Amino acid sequence: FSCNESWLASIGGEDDNSLVVWNLETGKAVCGSPAASDACHTVKFARHDEFTIITAGKLNMRVWDFDLANRKVRPSDCNLGKLQRTINNVYIDQNDEYCYAGTASGDVLKVNIRTKLFKHIGPKSRMPQGVVTIEETPSGELLVGGGDGTIAIMDPIALKVLRTTKIEAGGVTCLAPHASGQLFFVATSHCSTYVVKYEGLVVELRSTCHSTKIH
């Protein structure tokens, strides 16, 4: 959703792979375009600009200009140098300056949204099974969830891991910071939810559910 909740951006499946922008008031498509030559996995609007969209996926990362007057979306490819990554998700910082992309290789790419240039990559020790989701702590650090159940707090400048913990019941699928600023919720691939305190990364099981068929 756009920052003013006027527009919705969607990505089609493997047989489509198109970026489409929808008018939420009318429910009709405004414009669209093929998202990339390879599969696109994620799409997000900028936090403060309703006309800037970021998409990313297999060997692609683009910043789009949503031209409402001409009903078009125009892409600019991000320059990642020699890096070849499949991007699972993107997180945009509070100032719309940098985009952090979690990859299937287990590292995080930092890209300048305005210049579309790659800035940094980390951590050196990659997360097994990839980086699945990225959020932000109240103090401005990156909160990163891995496919192996790892939860890490990272420096957003150096992309170094500051502290980490691991959940054994499946991989992390979602991180949701609590409004109190003291804790966050974690959902896993085994249908369990946890509460984790920022201080010390203390993990507490909140609920469990069946993750396989019931016979």
Side-chain angles (χ1 to χ4, degrees):
F1 294 93
S2 62
C3 56
N4 60 359
E5 299 184 349
S6 294
W7 319 106
L8 170 68
S10 66
I11 295 291
E14 293 182 7
D15 59 338
D16 178 61
N17 204 45
S18 292
L19 168 66
V20 178
V21 180
W22 304 81
N23 185 318
L24 289 177
E25 184 176 354
T26 65
K28 296 181 179 180
V30 179
C31 55
S33 172
S37 56
D38 280 303
C40 187
H41 296 155
T42 185
V43 57
K44 278 194 176 180
F45 275 95
R47 289 185 181 273
H48 308 291
D49 183 357
E50 62 180 304
F51 301 117
T52 297
I53 303 170
I54 293 94
T55 62
K58 183 180 179 181
L59 307 179
N60 66 82
M61 186 174 184
R62 287 177 157 182
V63 178
W64 299 74
D65 175 42
F66 172 31
D67 183 354
L68 178 60
N70 294 303
R71 299 173 68 92
K72 291 183 180 295
V73 280
R74 297 185 174 88
S76 298
D77 289 311
C78 294
N79 185 353
L80 303 181
K82 295 181 179 180
L83 289 173
Q84 294 187 332
R85 292 290 190 275
T86 295
I87 297 171
N88 294 328
N89 61 89
V90 295
Y91 176 82
I92 301 169
D93 71 7
Q94 299 298 326
N95 299 318
D96 283 344
E97 183 178 6
Y98 291 107
C99 177
Y100 298 89
T103 75
S105 304
D107 44 24
V108 177
L109 310 181
K110 182 178 181 179
V111 177
N112 186 297
I113 296 175
R114 182 181 59 82
T115 64
K116 290 86 174 173
L117 295 177
F118 163 77
K119 297 291 292 184
H120 197 45
I121 186 172
K124 289 184 178 180
S125 180
R126 299 180 184 177
M127 285 190 179
Q129 301 183 44
V131 174
V132 177
T133 182
I134 303 175
E135 291 292 337
E136 186 175 329
T137 70
S139 56
E141 297 156 335
L142 296 181
L143 182 62
V144 181
D148 67 332
T150 298
I151 300 170
I153 292 180
M154 293 175 56
D155 181 344
I157 299 175
L159 295 183
K160 292 182 178 179
V161 174
L162 304 176
R163 50 193 184 278
T164 183
T165 189
K166 188 173 182 180
I167 291 173
E168 300 300 332
V172 176
T173 56
C174 181
L175 298 169
H178 190 264
S180 67
Q182 303 297 315
L183 51 86
F184 58 93
F185 297 98
V186 181
T188 76
S189 58
H190 287 185
C191 299
S192 299
T193 59
Y194 294 82
V195 175
V196 185
K197 294 181 180 178
Y198 289 112
E199 185 176 354
L201 291 182
V202 178
V203 180
E204 178 183 338
L205 179 65
R206 183 179 178 88
S207 66
T208 60
C209 191
H210 294 284
S211 59
T212 57
K213 293 179 180 180
I214 302 173
H215 298 286

